[in-house]
Amino acid sequence: MKISSIQENWRRTAGKVFFVALIDFVLLAFAVYVGYALREGTLMPTGIEKWPYMMLILPAVCVAVFALFAQYGTIWPHAGTEDFIKFTGVYIFAFAVFLILNALLKIVVFSRISFAITFLAGLFFCGGLRFSWLLTKSIHTNNKSKRLKTLIIGASEAGAFLARDLMRNENELYPAGFVDDDPNKIGMHVSGLMVLGSTAELKSIVERENFKVVLIAFSTYNGKKIKDIYNTLAPLNVQVRILPSLRELAGGQVSVSRIRKVKLEDLLGREPVKINLEHSMNYIHGKRILITGAGGSIGSEIVHQVIYNTPSEIYVLGHGEQSIYLLLESLNKLNLDIPIYPIIADVADEVAMQELFEQFKPQVVFHAAAHKHVPLMELSPREAMRVNDLGTRTIARFAGKYNAERMVMISTDKAVNPSSVMGATKRLAEKILEHEQRNYPETKYMAVRFGNVLGSRGSVIPKFEEQIASGGPVTVTHPDMKRYFMLIPEAVSLVIQAGALGHGGEIFVLDMGEPVVIKEMAELLIHLCGYEPYKEINIVFTGIRQGEKLYEELFYDENSVHGTLHPKIFVSNIQSGETHINSELDTTLEYALKNPHEALNLLRKLVPEYN
């Protein structure tokens, strides 16, 4: 910006400030006159030689205090309740300053009644001036001819904030009512808008009042409730938008800018699992942390959550340099004080892993590195065993040898009665942890099983979205295919919590609610993209791929499952229901890697339940 433009902007701003200050001065001077005139009941009060001094001095003191506390920097047409509260406080302080100065300098004598009337009149005049600007702005922005009539579901604090923000700002939406299930609110007004009824009456309310947009503004999420609301509104040709949950907002301000479209994860029909990460800080705080597979969707989220438990150092290990580079770029934006060391290496490379453990001696290991794509691993069983099994054995062995306190491995529900190479290799990885737990009892080994995660690299959602964007069809393997789903932050929270709960030799599993039918998920996603399933976008069933099952299981033997301190986290011993692997594991793995055609046979031998 040129100097001349800066000077012009400064002159324009200074002119506006002077104009507002001048109006305040005149209004406060008039308030002094009103105070004397009402006190004496005449338009020309006596003591004319005294009160004009007060008409000059009091306004001057008040305007100076207003300027000192930056009241002339407030944009009053966009002001909120907090701005008016602050102005009232500054106004009271300004009168207190005048009283102190007058007591010290004996400037003018006035009666208490005159002063009280002056105080109230000044507050009414100056406050009314500011409120009139807000009101004028509100009238201007409430030109409804070009705005969409909007219904807000949830007359709680979040909904009230959202309504006020919509009314204050020029926006395509104008709020015209609430819906809330609290019977005490129905018929009442919140932020000037009536609560028209409950969600049970939602369809009739939207049709009767001709709402164009419905905003979901729950303070806390209820997946099933949101899904029911969405299904109710889907046939009505209205836009459905949502305010992120307070957890997603992470303490951010509730505002129009935070409104977004409904996402698939909002409609999963399950509530997010609440994890108390404060309990986890003791074993992470001040420790050296190694995270393998740190460039992946799960690994990178572990890095971000571990950071806020204040470790002393973090080592981020990945085989792909681009993913580690992108992770470091995202971490650089956080301006962290924690040292973060990138390591590009293969977890199955014993030389590299030994050098890593010798140099850094990590105290806690999160092992997320793995091959996870089911169909691809059917074609590459040797590679699946090399990374998922030899890599796990290498990390686990060095963790014990170099006295790591804990090792937490990411497993999968596909490890239960596995039908795929990927599932079998992860089941073998769980057995490897049990094997190393006996070899190194001072290190606590544990695994965490969970289902599919939305937003991960292997998630089916991006594929569906791409197919919808290209006009379809959307391909689903089988109409009865079911999977457990969870969000990445939830999955990672469980991983971190498991590290705190485990004593060594456990498998932790999250109660993930009811499994989701993939066909129904595809239908929902098509609806969310604005199309009609089977009419505008077709769904084609391609048949179950090699290694896939119709549904996944969480445990081998439910009788061996026990609760934990968290109501939605369950635990089972690693060895429950299976035979131990023996001391010939190393020889067997090495033979499989040298003889790829024997890899599957050896995997079946090590994992007898692999079908």
Side-chain angles (χ1 to χ4, degrees):
M1 185 180 290
K2 296 180 179 180
I3 294 178
S4 59
S5 299
I6 296 174
Q7 291 174 337
E8 178 62 28
N9 288 338
W10 184 88
R11 282 194 296 267
R12 190 182 300 114
T13 302
K16 290 179 180 178
V17 169
F18 177 78
F19 178 71
V20 177
L22 180 61
I23 294 176
D24 279 340
F25 189 95
V26 172
L27 291 175
L28 288 165
F30 184 65
V32 173
Y33 167 78
V34 169
Y36 278 88
L38 290 180
R39 167 68 177 81
E40 299 186 19
T42 176
L43 293 176
M44 185 56 65
T46 59
I48 192 170
E49 73 284 355
K50 298 178 181 178
W51 59 264
Y53 290 106
M54 189 170 173
M55 289 180 67
L56 295 174
I57 298 170
L58 175 63
V61 170
C62 289
V63 168
V65 172
F66 290 171
L68 180 64
F69 284 90
Q71 287 301 294
Y72 297 118
T74 301
I75 303 175
W76 289 103
H78 298 281
T81 304
E82 62 280 0
D83 295 305
F84 283 95
I85 292 174
K86 182 179 179 181
F87 171 77
T88 303
V90 173
Y91 180 84
I92 294 171
F93 180 74
F95 267 70
V97 170
F98 171 78
L99 284 176
I100 294 171
L101 289 175
N102 191 60
L104 294 174
L105 303 177
K106 306 294 184 184
I107 301 172
V108 66
V109 178
F110 50 82
S111 70
R112 294 178 182 177
I113 295 178
S114 294
F115 187 79
I117 295 173
T118 299
F119 173 82
L120 294 175
L123 181 61
F124 176 78
F125 293 151
C126 294
L129 174 68
R130 285 152 176 79
F131 184 75
S132 68
W133 290 329
L134 177 63
L135 186 62
T136 301
K137 178 70 175 180
S138 178
I139 293 172
H140 174 72
T141 58
N142 275 327
N143 179 7
K144 303 175 182 178
S145 60
K146 297 182 179 180
R147 303 175 72 198
L148 301 176
K149 189 175 182 180
T150 301
L151 177 68
I152 300 176
I153 300 179
S156 61
E157 184 178 1
F161 269 117
L162 183 60
R164 287 195 291 270
D165 201 38
L166 284 169
M167 288 186 284
R168 278 201 302 264
N169 296 280
E170 290 192 24
N171 190 278
E172 63 171 339
L173 311 177
Y174 79 89
F178 282 102
V179 162
D180 197 282
D181 286 334
D182 184 350
N184 296 321
K185 294 180 180 178
I186 296 175
M188 306 298 287
H189 285 77
V190 176
S191 295
L193 304 177
M194 179 176 284
V195 181
L196 302 173
S198 67
T199 53
E201 307 166 87
L202 181 60
K203 183 177 180 181
S204 61
I205 291 172
V206 170
E207 291 177 328
R208 182 180 71 245
E209 302 292 337
N210 195 30
F211 284 105
K212 302 299 183 184
V213 178
V214 174
L215 297 181
I216 301 174
F218 294 149
S219 296
T220 56
Y221 264 42
N222 183 320
K224 185 178 185 304
K225 185 72 173 179
I226 294 174
K227 185 176 180 180
D228 290 342
I229 289 171
Y230 188 85
N231 289 338
T232 299
L233 297 172
L236 301 183
N237 194 31
V238 297
Q239 298 180 37
V240 183
R241 305 183 192 178
I242 194 167
L243 183 71
S245 65
L246 296 184
R247 175 185 177 185
E248 190 176 339
L249 288 173
Q253 185 178 3
V254 175
S255 66
V256 176
S257 63
R258 309 307 294 269
I259 297 172
R260 59 167 172 76
K261 293 182 178 179
V262 176
K263 297 179 182 178
L264 184 61
E265 50 262 43
D266 299 321
L267 307 175
L268 280 179
R270 53 181 294 269
E271 297 182 27
V273 175
K274 298 176 182 178
I275 304 292
N276 179 16
L277 290 181
E278 291 182 4
H279 183 64
S280 312
M281 291 187 66
N282 290 336
Y283 85 95
I284 292 177
H285 177 70
K287 300 295 177 64
R288 300 181 298 276
I289 312 294
L290 168 65
I291 300 165
T292 73
S297 50
I298 297 294
S300 60
E301 180 65 19
I302 292 176
V303 174
H304 282 89
Q305 290 197 22
V306 162
I307 282 172
Y308 293 105
N309 284 327
T310 59
S312 62
E313 297 176 346
I314 299 179
Y315 318 112
V316 291
L317 169 64
H319 197 209
E321 59 182 21
Q322 180 66 9
S323 60
I324 295 297
Y325 170 77
L326 293 176
L327 171 65
L328 294 176
E329 286 291 292
S330 69
L331 295 175
N332 286 337
K333 298 176 182 178
L334 302 178
N335 297 318
L336 301 169
D337 294 328
I338 301 170
I340 299 175
Y341 300 94
I343 302 165
I344 306 300
D346 188 331
V347 290
D349 184 339
E350 291 195 33
V351 174
M353 293 304 100
Q354 182 169 5
E355 182 181 358
L356 184 159
F357 277 86
E358 281 182 349
Q359 180 178 355
F360 297 114
K361 293 182 173 58
Q363 295 164 287
V364 179
V365 178
F366 291 99
H367 181 44
H371 285 317
K372 298 180 277 290
H373 196 283
V374 171
L376 289 182
M377 291 306 100
E378 292 299 306
L379 303 175
S380 305
R382 177 188 179 276
E383 178 64 12
M385 292 184 70
R386 190 188 71 82
V387 173
N388 294 357
D389 298 325
L390 182 61
T392 298
R393 187 213 65 177
T394 303
I395 295 294
R397 185 161 299 175
F398 286 129
K401 183 177 179 180
Y402 289 93
N403 301 313
E405 297 172 9
R406 298 167 190 261
M407 174 178 171
V408 184
M409 184 190 76
I410 308 301
S411 189
T412 170
D413 54 2
K414 293 176 176 61
V416 181
N417 293 316
S419 62
S420 64
V421 168
M422 193 280 280
T425 56
K426 293 302 287 184
R427 177 65 198 130
L428 179 55
E430 293 177 352
K431 292 185 174 187
I432 289 171
L433 287 193
E434 182 265 331
H435 180 71
E436 299 303 335
Q437 182 68 77
R438 286 184 279 125
N439 291 338
Y440 300 99
E442 297 302 316
T443 298
K444 298 176 181 179
Y445 296 89
M446 57 211 76
V448 182
R449 282 183 194 151
F450 47 80
N452 298 273
V453 286
L454 292 174
S456 69
R457 289 180 180 176
S459 173
V460 71
I461 307 305
K463 178 184 176 182
F464 283 171
E465 290 175 335
E466 184 178 341
Q467 291 174 334
I468 293 169
S470 63
V474 173
T475 56
V476 177
T477 55
H478 193 281
D480 297 326
M481 180 75 72
K482 295 181 180 180
R483 289 293 182 268
Y484 291 101
F485 280 92
M486 57 193 309
L487 305 178
I488 291 178
E490 293 177 285
V492 169
S493 296
L494 172 63
V495 171
I496 295 176
Q497 187 77 5
L501 296 174
H503 300 288
E506 301 101 340
I507 293 177
F508 291 94
V509 180
L510 174 65
D511 176 4
M512 292 177 287
E514 295 298 319
V516 178
V517 178
I518 302 299
K519 174 179 73 72
E520 294 179 359
M521 177 181 285
E523 293 169 349
L524 275 174
L525 196 57
I526 292 171
H527 272 302
L528 288 172
C529 293
Y531 300 102
E532 187 71 22
Y534 307 106
K535 293 182 180 180
E536 297 174 286
I537 300 290
N538 195 23
I539 297 178
V540 175
F541 300 100
T542 58
I544 298 177
R545 297 174 296 183
Q546 186 176 2
E548 285 186 327
K549 295 191 289 186
L550 276 180
Y551 60 91
E552 301 293 353
E553 304 162 271
L554 299 177
F555 301 104
Y556 278 93
D557 180 9
E558 292 189 4
N559 294 325
S560 66
V561 176
H562 308 286
T564 66
L565 295 174
H566 194 284
K568 288 186 176 288
I569 300 177
F570 299 92
V571 63
S572 172
N573 291 332
I574 286 180
Q575 66 269 25
S576 63
E578 286 83 34
T579 56
H580 297 304
I581 56 176
N582 55 36
S583 58
E584 298 176 355
L585 170 66
D586 291 351
T587 304
T588 305
L589 280 177
E590 290 172 5
Y591 182 79
L593 296 178
K594 292 178 181 178
N595 299 273
H597 59 281
E598 289 293 322
L600 274 179
N601 292 332
L602 291 170
L603 186 59
R604 291 190 180 98
K605 178 181 177 182
L606 292 169
V607 186
E609 61 271 28
Y610 170 37
N611 181 12

